[in-house]
Coordinates of all heavy atoms in Angstrom, one line a residue:
G21 N 23.8 15.5 117.5 CA 24.8 15.7 116.5 C 24.8 17.2 116.1 O 23.9 18.0 116.5
T22 N 25.7 17.5 115.3 CA 25.9 18.9 114.8 C 24.9 19.1 113.6 O 24.9 18.3 112.7 CB 27.3 19.1 114.4 OG1 28.2 18.8 115.5 CG2 27.5 20.6 113.9
A23 N 24.2 20.2 113.7 CA 23.3 20.5 112.6 C 24.1 21.3 111.6 O 24.8 22.3 111.9 CB 22.1 21.3 113.1
F24 N 24.0 21.0 110.3 CA 24.6 21.7 109.2 C 23.6 22.5 108.5 O 22.4 22.1 108.4 CB 25.3 20.7 108.2 CG 26.4 20.0 108.8 CD1 26.3 18.7 109.3 CD2 27.7 20.5 108.9 CE1 27.3 18.0 109.9 CE2 28.8 19.8 109.4 CZ 28.6 18.6 109.9
P25 N 24.0 23.7 108.0 CA 23.0 24.5 107.3 C 22.7 23.8 106.0 O 23.5 23.1 105.4 CB 23.8 25.8 107.0 CG 25.2 25.5 107.2 CD 25.3 24.3 108.2
V26 N 21.4 23.8 105.6 CA 21.0 23.1 104.4 C 21.2 24.0 103.2 O 20.8 25.2 103.2 CB 19.5 22.8 104.5 CG1 19.0 22.2 103.2 CG2 19.2 21.9 105.6
R27 N 22.0 23.5 102.2 CA 22.3 24.3 101.0 C 21.9 23.4 99.8 O 22.0 22.2 99.9 CB 23.7 24.6 100.9 CG 24.1 25.6 102.0 CD 25.6 25.8 102.1 NE 26.3 26.2 100.9 CZ 27.6 25.9 100.6 NH1 28.3 25.4 101.5 NH2 28.1 26.3 99.5
T28 N 21.4 24.0 98.7 CA 21.0 23.2 97.6 C 22.2 22.9 96.7 O 23.3 23.6 96.8 CB 20.0 23.9 96.7 OG1 20.5 25.2 96.2 CG2 18.7 24.3 97.6
I29 N 22.1 21.9 95.8 CA 23.2 21.6 94.9 C 23.7 22.8 94.1 O 24.9 23.1 94.1 CB 22.8 20.4 94.0 CG1 22.7 19.1 94.9 CG2 23.8 20.2 92.9 CD1 22.1 17.9 94.1
P30 N 22.8 23.6 93.5 CA 23.2 24.8 92.8 C 24.0 25.8 93.6 O 24.7 26.7 93.1 CB 22.0 25.4 92.1 CG 21.0 24.2 92.1 CD 21.3 23.4 93.3
E31 N 23.8 25.8 94.9 CA 24.5 26.7 95.8 C 25.9 26.2 96.1 O 26.8 27.0 96.5 CB 23.7 26.9 97.1 CG 22.4 27.6 97.0 CD 21.6 27.6 98.3 OE1 21.8 26.7 99.1 OE2 20.9 28.6 98.5
I32 N 26.1 24.9 95.9 CA 27.4 24.3 96.2 C 28.3 24.1 94.9 O 29.4 24.3 94.9 CB 27.3 23.0 96.9 CG1 26.5 23.3 98.3 CG2 28.6 22.3 97.2 CD1 26.1 22.0 99.0
L33 N 27.6 23.5 93.9 CA 28.3 23.2 92.6 C 27.9 24.1 91.5 O 26.8 24.7 91.5 CB 27.9 21.8 92.2 CG 28.2 20.6 93.2 CD1 27.7 19.3 92.6 CD2 29.7 20.5 93.4
E34 N 28.9 24.3 90.6 CA 28.6 25.0 89.3 C 27.7 24.2 88.5 O 27.7 22.9 88.6 CB 29.9 25.3 88.6 CG 30.9 26.1 89.3 CD 30.4 27.6 89.5 OE1 29.8 28.1 88.6 OE2 30.7 28.1 90.6
K35 N 26.9 24.8 87.6 CA 25.9 24.1 86.8 C 26.6 22.9 86.0 O 26.0 21.8 85.9 CB 25.2 25.0 85.9 CG 24.1 24.3 85.1 CD 23.2 25.3 84.3 CE 22.1 24.6 83.6 NZ 21.2 25.5 82.9
H36 N 27.7 23.2 85.4 CA 28.4 22.1 84.6 C 28.9 21.0 85.5 O 29.2 19.9 85.0 CB 29.6 22.7 83.9 CG 30.8 23.1 84.7 ND1 30.9 24.3 85.3 CD2 31.9 22.4 85.1 CE1 32.0 24.4 86.0 NE2 32.6 23.2 85.9
E37 N 28.9 21.1 86.8 CA 29.3 20.0 87.7 C 28.2 19.1 88.1 O 28.4 18.1 88.7 CB 29.9 20.6 89.0 CG 31.2 21.3 88.8 CD 31.8 22.0 90.0 OE1 31.1 22.8 90.7 OE2 32.9 21.6 90.4
F38 N 26.9 19.5 87.7 CA 25.8 18.6 88.0 C 24.9 18.4 86.9 O 24.2 17.3 86.7 CB 25.0 19.0 89.3 CG 24.3 20.3 89.1 CD1 23.0 20.4 88.6 CD2 24.9 21.5 89.5 CE1 22.4 21.6 88.5 CE2 24.3 22.7 89.4 CZ 23.0 22.8 88.9
H39 N 24.7 19.3 85.9 CA 23.8 19.2 84.8 C 24.2 18.0 83.9 O 25.3 18.1 83.3 CB 23.7 20.5 84.1 CG 22.7 20.5 83.0 ND1 21.3 20.5 83.3 CD2 22.8 20.4 81.6 CE1 20.6 20.5 82.2 NE2 21.5 20.4 81.2
G40 N 23.4 17.0 83.8 CA 23.6 15.9 82.9 C 24.5 14.8 83.6 O 24.8 13.8 82.9
S41 N 24.9 15.0 84.8 CA 25.8 14.0 85.5 C 24.9 12.9 86.2 O 23.8 13.2 86.5 CB 26.7 14.7 86.6 OG 27.6 15.5 85.9
T42 N 25.5 11.8 86.5 CA 24.9 10.8 87.2 C 24.8 11.2 88.7 O 25.6 12.0 89.2 CB 25.6 9.4 87.1 OG1 26.9 9.6 87.7 CG2 25.8 9.0 85.7
D43 N 23.9 10.5 89.4 CA 23.7 10.8 90.8 C 25.0 10.6 91.6 O 25.4 11.4 92.4 CB 22.6 10.0 91.4 CG 21.2 10.4 90.9 OD1 21.1 11.5 90.3 OD2 20.3 9.5 91.0
G44 N 25.6 9.5 91.3 CA 26.9 9.1 92.0 C 27.9 10.2 91.8 O 28.7 10.5 92.8
L45 N 28.1 10.6 90.6 CA 29.1 11.7 90.3 C 28.8 13.0 91.0 O 29.6 13.7 91.5 CB 29.2 11.9 88.8 CG 30.4 12.7 88.3 CD1 31.7 12.2 88.8 CD2 30.4 12.7 86.8
I46 N 27.5 13.3 91.0 CA 27.1 14.6 91.7 C 27.4 14.5 93.2 O 27.9 15.4 93.8 CB 25.6 14.8 91.5 CG1 25.3 15.2 90.0 CG2 25.1 16.0 92.4 CD1 23.8 15.2 89.6
L47 N 27.1 13.3 93.8 CA 27.4 13.1 95.2 C 28.9 13.2 95.5 O 29.3 13.7 96.5 CB 26.7 11.8 95.7 CG 25.2 11.8 95.7 CD1 24.7 10.4 96.1 CD2 24.7 12.8 96.7
L48 N 29.7 12.6 94.6 CA 31.1 12.6 94.8 C 31.6 14.1 94.7 O 32.4 14.5 95.6 CB 31.8 11.8 93.8 CG 33.3 11.6 93.9 CD1 33.7 11.0 95.2 CD2 33.8 10.8 92.7
R49 N 31.1 14.8 93.8 CA 31.5 16.2 93.7 C 31.1 17.0 94.9 O 31.8 17.9 95.4 CB 31.0 16.8 92.4 CG 31.7 16.3 91.2 CD 31.0 16.8 89.9 NE 31.8 16.4 88.7 CZ 31.3 16.2 87.5 NH1 30.0 16.5 87.3 NH2 32.0 15.8 86.5
L50 N 29.8 16.7 95.4 CA 29.4 17.4 96.6 C 30.3 17.1 97.8 O 30.6 18.0 98.6 CB 28.0 17.0 96.9 CG 26.8 17.6 96.2 CD1 25.5 16.9 96.5 CD2 26.7 19.1 96.5
A51 N 30.7 15.8 97.9 CA 31.6 15.4 99.0 C 32.9 16.2 98.9 O 33.4 16.7 99.9 CB 31.8 13.9 99.0
R52 N 33.5 16.3 97.7 CA 34.7 17.0 97.5 C 34.6 18.4 97.9 O 35.5 19.0 98.6 CB 35.2 16.8 96.1 CG 35.8 15.5 95.8 CD 36.4 15.5 94.3 NE 37.0 14.2 94.1 CZ 37.0 13.7 92.9 NH1 36.4 14.2 91.9 NH2 37.7 12.5 92.8
K53 N 33.5 19.1 97.4 CA 33.4 20.5 97.7 C 33.1 20.8 99.2 O 33.6 21.7 99.7 CB 32.2 21.1 96.9 CG 32.5 21.3 95.4 CD 33.1 22.6 95.2 CE 33.4 22.8 93.7 NZ 32.9 24.0 93.1
T54 N 32.3 20.0 99.8 CA 31.9 20.2 101.2 C 32.9 19.8 102.2 O 33.1 20.4 103.3 CB 30.5 19.6 101.5 OG1 30.6 18.2 101.3 CG2 29.4 20.2 100.7
L55 N 33.7 18.7 101.9 CA 34.7 18.3 102.8 C 36.0 18.9 102.6 O 36.9 19.0 103.5 CB 34.8 16.7 102.7 CG 33.6 15.9 103.1 CD1 33.9 14.4 102.8 CD2 33.3 16.1 104.6
G56 N 36.3 19.5 101.5 CA 37.5 20.2 101.2 C 38.7 19.4 101.4 O 38.9 18.3 101.0
S57 N 39.7 19.9 102.3 CA 40.9 19.3 102.5 C 40.8 18.0 103.3 O 41.7 17.2 103.3 CB 41.9 20.2 103.2 OG 41.4 20.6 104.5
S58 N 39.7 17.8 103.9 CA 39.5 16.5 104.7 C 39.0 15.4 103.8 O 38.8 14.3 104.3 CB 38.6 16.7 105.9 OG 37.3 17.1 105.5
F59 N 38.8 15.7 102.5 CA 38.3 14.7 101.6 C 39.3 13.6 101.3 O 40.4 13.9 100.9 CB 37.9 15.3 100.3 CG 37.5 14.3 99.2 CD1 36.2 13.9 99.1 CD2 38.4 13.9 98.3 CE1 35.8 13.0 98.2 CE2 38.0 13.0 97.3 CZ 36.7 12.5 97.3
T60 N 39.0 12.4 101.5 CA 39.8 11.2 101.1 C 38.8 10.2 100.5 O 37.7 10.0 101.0 CB 40.6 10.6 102.3 OG1 39.6 10.0 103.2 CG2 41.5 11.5 103.0
F61 N 39.3 9.6 99.4 CA 38.4 8.7 98.7 C 37.9 7.5 99.6 O 36.7 7.2 99.6 CB 39.0 8.1 97.4 CG 38.1 7.2 96.7 CD1 37.1 7.8 95.9 CD2 38.2 5.9 96.7 CE1 36.2 7.0 95.2 CE2 37.3 5.1 96.0 CZ 36.3 5.6 95.3
S62 N 38.8 7.0 100.4 CA 38.4 5.8 101.2 C 37.4 6.2 102.3 O 36.5 5.4 102.5 CB 39.7 5.2 101.9 OG 40.3 6.1 102.7
D63 N 37.6 7.3 102.9 CA 36.6 7.8 103.9 C 35.3 8.2 103.3 O 34.2 8.0 103.8 CB 37.2 9.0 104.7 CG 38.3 8.6 105.6 OD1 38.5 7.4 105.9 OD2 39.1 9.5 106.0
T64 N 35.4 8.8 102.1 CA 34.2 9.3 101.4 C 33.3 8.3 100.8 O 32.1 8.4 100.7 CB 34.6 10.4 100.4 OG1 35.4 11.4 101.0 CG2 33.5 11.1 99.7
R65 N 33.9 7.2 100.4 CA 33.2 6.1 99.7 C 31.9 5.7 100.5 O 30.8 5.6 100.0 CB 34.0 4.9 99.4 CG 33.3 3.9 98.6 CD 34.3 2.8 98.2 NE 33.6 1.9 97.3 CZ 34.1 1.0 96.5 NH1 35.4 1.0 96.5 NH2 33.4 0.2 95.8
S66 N 32.1 5.4 101.8 CA 31.0 5.0 102.6 C 30.0 6.2 102.8 O 28.8 5.9 102.8 CB 31.5 4.5 104.0 OG 32.1 5.6 104.7
K67 N 30.5 7.4 102.9 CA 29.6 8.5 103.0 C 28.8 8.7 101.7 O 27.6 9.0 101.8 CB 30.4 9.8 103.3 CG 31.0 9.8 104.6 CD 30.0 9.9 105.7 CE 30.6 10.0 107.1 NZ 29.7 9.7 108.1
V68 N 29.4 8.6 100.5 CA 28.6 8.7 99.3 C 27.6 7.6 99.2 O 26.5 7.8 98.8 CB 29.6 8.7 98.1 CG1 28.8 8.5 96.7 CG2 30.5 9.9 98.1
D69 N 27.9 6.4 99.6 CA 27.0 5.3 99.6 C 25.8 5.6 100.5 O 24.6 5.4 100.2 CB 27.6 4.0 100.1 CG 28.5 3.3 99.1 OD1 28.5 3.7 97.9 OD2 29.4 2.5 99.4
E70 N 26.1 6.2 101.7 CA 25.1 6.6 102.6 C 24.2 7.7 102.0 O 23.0 7.7 102.2 CB 25.7 7.1 103.9 CG 24.8 7.4 105.0 CD 25.5 7.9 106.3 OE1 26.6 7.4 106.6 OE2 24.9 8.7 107.0
M71 N 24.8 8.7 101.4 CA 24.1 9.8 100.7 C 23.2 9.2 99.6 O 22.1 9.7 99.5 CB 25.1 10.8 100.2 CG 25.9 11.6 101.2 SD 27.3 12.5 100.6 CE 26.5 13.7 99.6
M72 N 23.7 8.2 98.9 CA 22.9 7.7 97.8 C 21.6 7.0 98.4 O 20.5 7.1 97.8 CB 23.7 6.7 97.0 CG 23.0 6.1 95.8 SD 22.7 7.3 94.4 CE 24.3 7.2 93.6
K73 N 21.8 6.3 99.5 CA 20.6 5.6 100.1 C 19.6 6.7 100.6 O 18.4 6.5 100.4 CB 21.1 4.7 101.3 CG 21.8 3.5 100.9 CD 22.3 2.7 102.1 CE 23.2 1.6 101.6 NZ 23.8 0.9 102.7
E74 N 20.1 7.7 101.2 CA 19.2 8.8 101.7 C 18.5 9.5 100.5 O 17.3 9.7 100.6 CB 20.0 9.8 102.5 CG 20.5 9.4 103.8 CD 19.3 9.1 104.8 OE1 18.3 9.9 104.7 OE2 19.4 8.1 105.5
M75 N 19.2 9.7 99.5 CA 18.6 10.3 98.3 C 17.5 9.4 97.7 O 16.4 9.8 97.4 CB 19.7 10.6 97.2 CG 19.1 11.4 96.0 SD 20.4 12.0 94.9 CE 21.2 10.5 94.4
F76 N 17.8 8.1 97.6 CA 16.9 7.1 97.1 C 15.6 7.1 98.0 O 14.5 7.1 97.5 CB 17.5 5.7 97.0 CG 16.5 4.7 96.6 CD1 16.2 4.5 95.2 CD2 15.9 3.9 97.5 CE1 15.3 3.5 94.8 CE2 15.0 2.9 97.1 CZ 14.7 2.8 95.8
N77 N 15.8 7.1 99.3 CA 14.7 7.0 100.2 C 13.8 8.3 100.1 O 12.6 8.2 100.1 CB 15.2 6.9 101.7 CG 15.7 5.5 101.9 OD1 15.4 4.5 101.2 ND2 16.6 5.4 102.9
F78 N 14.5 9.4 100.0 CA 13.8 10.7 99.9 C 13.0 10.7 98.6 O 11.8 11.0 98.5 CB 14.7 11.9 99.9 CG 14.0 13.2 99.6 CD1 13.3 13.8 100.6 CD2 14.1 13.8 98.4 CE1 12.6 15.0 100.4 CE2 13.5 15.0 98.1 CZ 12.7 15.6 99.1
V79 N 13.6 10.5 97.4 CA 13.0 10.5 96.1 C 11.8 9.5 96.0 O 10.8 9.8 95.5 CB 14.0 10.3 95.0 CG1 13.3 10.2 93.6 CG2 14.9 11.5 95.0
S80 N 12.0 8.3 96.6 CA 11.0 7.3 96.6 C 9.7 7.7 97.3 O 8.7 7.2 97.0 CB 11.5 6.0 97.3 OG 12.6 5.5 96.5
S81 N 9.9 8.6 98.3 CA 8.7 9.1 99.0 C 8.0 10.2 98.3 O 6.9 10.6 98.8 CB 9.1 9.5 100.4 OG 9.9 10.7 100.4
C82 N 8.5 10.7 97.2 CA 7.9 11.9 96.5 C 7.0 11.4 95.4 O 7.2 10.3 94.8 CB 9.0 12.7 95.9 SG 10.1 13.5 97.1
E83 N 6.1 12.3 95.0 CA 5.2 12.0 93.9 C 6.1 12.2 92.6 O 7.0 13.0 92.6 CB 4.0 13.0 93.8 CG 3.1 12.8 95.0 CD 2.3 11.5 94.9 OE1 2.0 11.1 93.7 OE2 2.0 11.0 95.9
D84 N 5.7 11.5 91.5 CA 6.5 11.7 90.3 C 6.6 13.1 89.8 O 7.6 13.6 89.3 CB 5.9 10.8 89.2 CG 6.1 9.3 89.4 OD1 7.0 9.0 90.2 OD2 5.5 8.5 88.7
S85 N 5.4 13.8 89.9 CA 5.4 15.2 89.4 C 6.4 16.1 90.2 O 7.0 17.0 89.7 CB 4.0 15.8 89.5 OG 3.5 15.7 90.8
E86 N 6.5 15.8 91.5 CA 7.4 16.5 92.4 C 8.9 16.3 92.0 O 9.7 17.2 92.0 CB 7.1 16.2 93.8 CG 7.9 17.0 94.8 CD 7.6 16.6 96.3 OE1 6.8 15.7 96.5 OE2 8.2 17.3 97.2
V87 N 9.2 15.0 91.7 CA 10.5 14.6 91.3 C 10.9 15.3 90.0 O 12.0 15.8 89.8 CB 10.7 13.1 91.3 CG1 12.1 12.7 90.7 CG2 10.5 12.5 92.6
A88 N 10.0 15.3 89.1 CA 10.2 15.8 87.7 C 10.3 17.3 87.7 O 10.9 17.9 86.7 CB 9.1 15.3 86.8
R89 N 9.8 18.0 88.7 CA 9.8 19.5 88.7 C 11.3 20.0 88.6 O 12.1 19.7 89.3 CB 9.2 20.0 89.9 CG 8.9 21.5 89.9 CD 8.2 22.1 91.1 NE 7.2 21.3 91.6 CZ 7.1 20.9 92.9 NH1 8.0 21.3 93.8 NH2 6.2 20.1 93.3
G90 N 11.5 20.9 87.6 CA 12.8 21.5 87.4 C 13.8 20.6 86.6 O 14.9 21.0 86.3
I91 N 13.4 19.4 86.2 CA 14.3 18.6 85.4 C 13.9 18.7 83.9 O 12.7 18.6 83.6 CB 14.1 17.1 85.8 CG1 14.6 16.9 87.3 CG2 14.9 16.2 84.9 CD1 14.4 15.5 87.8
A92 N 14.9 19.0 83.1 CA 14.7 19.1 81.7 C 15.7 18.1 81.0 O 16.8 18.0 81.4 CB 14.9 20.5 81.3
P93 N 15.2 17.5 79.9 CA 16.1 16.6 79.2 C 17.3 17.5 78.6 O 17.1 18.6 78.2 CB 15.3 16.0 78.1 CG 14.1 16.9 78.0 CD 13.9 17.6 79.3
L94 N 18.4 16.8 78.4 CA 19.5 17.5 77.7 C 19.2 17.8 76.3 O 18.4 17.1 75.7 CB 20.8 16.6 77.8 CG 21.3 16.3 79.2 CD1 22.4 15.2 79.1 CD2 21.9 17.6 79.8
P95 N 19.8 18.8 75.7 CA 19.5 19.2 74.3 C 19.7 18.1 73.4 O 20.7 17.3 73.5 CB 20.5 20.3 74.1 CG 20.9 20.9 75.4 CD 20.8 19.7 76.3
G96 N 18.7 17.9 72.5 CA 18.8 16.8 71.5 C 18.2 15.5 71.9 O 17.9 14.6 71.1
V97 N 18.0 15.3 73.2 CA 17.5 14.0 73.7 C 16.1 13.6 73.2 O 15.8 12.6 72.7 CB 17.5 13.9 75.2 CG1 16.8 12.6 75.7 CG2 19.0 13.8 75.7
L98 N 15.2 14.6 73.3 CA 13.8 14.3 72.8 C 13.7 14.0 71.3 O 13.1 13.1 70.9 CB 12.9 15.5 73.2 CG 12.6 15.7 74.7 CD1 11.7 16.9 74.9 CD2 12.0 14.4 75.3
Q99 N 14.5 14.8 70.5 CA 14.5 14.6 69.1 C 15.1 13.2 68.8 O 14.6 12.5 67.9 CB 15.2 15.7 68.4 CG 15.2 15.6 66.9 CD 13.7 15.6 66.4 OE1 12.9 16.4 66.7 NE2 13.4 14.6 65.5
T100 N 16.1 12.8 69.5 CA 16.7 11.5 69.2 C 15.8 10.4 69.6 O 15.6 9.4 68.8 CB 18.0 11.4 70.1 OG1 18.9 12.4 69.7 CG2 18.7 10.0 69.9
L101 N 15.0 10.5 70.7 CA 14.1 9.5 71.1 C 12.9 9.5 70.0 O 12.5 8.4 69.7 CB 13.5 9.8 72.5 CG 14.5 9.6 73.6 CD1 13.9 10.1 74.9 CD2 14.9 8.2 73.7
K102 N 12.5 10.6 69.5 CA 11.4 10.6 68.5 C 11.9 9.9 67.3 O 11.2 9.2 66.6 CB 11.0 12.1 68.2 CG 10.2 12.7 69.4 CD 9.8 14.1 69.1 CE 9.1 14.8 70.2 NZ 8.9 16.2 70.0
T103 N 13.1 10.2 66.9 CA 13.7 9.6 65.7 C 13.8 8.1 65.8 O 13.4 7.3 64.9 CB 15.1 10.2 65.4 OG1 15.0 11.6 65.2 CG2 15.7 9.5 64.1
L104 N 14.3 7.6 67.0 CA 14.4 6.2 67.2 C 13.0 5.5 67.2 O 12.8 4.5 66.7 CB 15.1 6.0 68.6 CG 16.6 6.3 68.6 CD1 17.1 6.2 70.0 CD2 17.4 5.4 67.7
A105 N 12.0 6.2 67.8 CA 10.7 5.7 67.9 C 10.1 5.6 66.5 O 9.4 4.6 66.1 CB 9.8 6.5 68.8
S106 N 10.3 6.6 65.6 CA 9.8 6.6 64.3 C 10.5 5.5 63.5 O 9.8 4.8 62.7 CB 10.1 8.0 63.6 OG 9.8 8.0 62.3
E107 N 11.8 5.3 63.6 CA 12.5 4.2 62.9 C 12.0 2.9 63.3 O 11.8 2.0 62.5 CB 14.0 4.3 63.2 CG 14.7 5.5 62.5 CD 16.1 5.7 62.9 OE1 16.6 4.8 63.7 OE2 16.8 6.6 62.5
R108 N 11.7 2.7 64.5 CA 11.2 1.4 65.1 C 9.8 1.1 64.5 O 9.5 -0.1 64.1 CB 11.1 1.5 66.6 CG 10.7 0.2 67.2 CD 10.8 0.3 68.7 NE 10.4 -0.9 69.3 CZ 10.2 -1.1 70.6 NH1 10.3 -0.1 71.4 NH2 9.8 -2.3 71.0
H109 N 9.0 2.1 64.3 CA 7.6 1.9 63.7 C 7.7 1.6 62.2 O 6.7 1.1 61.7 CB 6.7 3.1 64.0 CG 6.2 3.2 65.4 ND1 6.9 3.9 66.4 CD2 5.2 2.6 66.0 CE1 6.3 3.7 67.5 NE2 5.2 3.0 67.3
H110 N 8.7 2.0 61.5 CA 8.8 1.8 60.1 C 9.5 0.5 59.7 O 9.7 0.3 58.5 CB 9.6 3.0 59.5 CG 8.8 4.3 59.5 ND1 9.1 5.4 60.2 CD2 7.6 4.6 58.9 CE1 8.2 6.3 60.1 NE2 7.3 5.9 59.3
K111 N 9.9 -0.2 60.7 CA 10.6 -1.5 60.4 C 9.6 -2.6 60.2 O 8.6 -2.7 60.7 CB 11.6 -1.8 61.4 CG 12.8 -1.0 61.3 CD 13.9 -1.5 62.3 CE 15.2 -0.6 62.1 NZ 16.3 -1.1 62.8

């Protein structure tokens, strides 16, 4: 098969196109960007499913610390979780 150059998500997508998005949405945006004018939803659906399986297999083989590297919660999430936990303990 043809080998494609490996590029990271931040090299392909703008930060607002992946930060805080679901995996499926990120993969769909990657498909649109990398396939360009040849992108069609019907053709891409099976490719996105295949990409999701590959991503799951890759991440499943990694240590938790490796997966978490570089991931930060969205602003306000930690405080909201702390508030919810505190409210739960006071009931």
Side-chain angles (χ1 to χ4, degrees):
T22 304
F24 293 98
V26 176
R27 293 168 54 203
T28 64
I29 291 172
E31 292 174 330
I32 299 170
L33 298 176
E34 299 292 324
K35 185 173 183 174
H36 71 274
E37 294 177 303
F38 64 88
H39 186 70
S41 293
T42 63
D43 294 341
L45 189 53
I46 293 168
L47 292 175
L48 184 60
R49 288 176 176 154
L50 280 172
R52 283 185 175 146
K53 285 274 179 128
T54 57
L55 295 173
S57 61
S58 64
F59 174 86
T60 63
F61 183 77
S62 59
D63 292 339
T64 304
R65 186 175 183 162
S66 65
K67 292 293 184 195
V68 169
D69 288 343
E70 185 179 329
M71 291 166 69
M72 186 69 82
K73 287 177 190 172
E74 286 296 321
M75 185 170 60
F76 176 82
N77 290 336
F78 173 78
V79 171
S80 295
S81 69
C82 297
E83 295 292 327
D84 288 346
S85 60
E86 187 179 0
V87 173
R89 190 178 320 127
I91 295 177
L94 294 173
V97 169
L98 291 180
Q99 186 57 47
T100 300
L101 291 174
K102 288 176 185 175
T103 301
L104 291 172
S106 174
E107 290 173 1
R108 186 174 178 191
H109 284 92
H110 290 113
K111 287 188 176 184

